Amino acid sequence: MIKKLETLEKKILDCKKKNKKVMIFGNGGSSAIASHFSVDLTKNSGIRCVNFNEYDLITCFSNDFGYENWIFKAVEYYGDKGDLLILISSSGMSKNIINGCKIARKKRMKVVTLSGFQKTNLLSKKGDINIWIDSKVYNIVENIHQIIL
């Protein structure tokens, strides 16, 4: 786990060096974690980090493209080659999160996943760095994700 965290730190610092940005997404409590991390990373480190928790964007993209595709479309419109995408899903099975990963790969972005529950969840093998928490309890998984970030 320590090696993965060191690699995550390096990828985030590379974004600043290369004038790239970090994009971060989650659902529910993970969305709140994404927002908090995004603001802190930008304010405290000067690293551009964005999350898309605006209800108008989420509801527009969900209405027009389906809830399972709203993150895909946000990454498609706003992500650039070389950016870093962080995806948080406690279960690792959220279709909108997994679809976001697919477009990030097409755009040649780096991907970090944070998940829990089953070790073989769909998200847990899709990133350049995959951080899996060995718990099936939402608040444990989410709290550890928050600590990591």
Side-chain angles (χ1 to χ4, degrees), residues 101-120:
C101 187
K102 289 177 184 174
I103 188 64
R105 290 295 182 204
K106 286 182 184 176
K107 293 182 78 88
R108 300 179 66 203
M109 297 169 66
K110 301 293 182 194
V111 178
V112 175
T113 70
L114 289 90
S115 66
F117 293 25
Q118 298 296 323
K119 190 168 189 167
T120 58

Side-chain angles (χ1 to χ4, degrees), residues 128-141:
D128 298 295
I129 303 170
N130 299 292
I131 299 171
W132 173 75
I133 306 305
D134 188 6
S135 178
K136 293 180 177 133
V137 180
Y138 274 102
N139 66 334
I140 291 172
V141 173

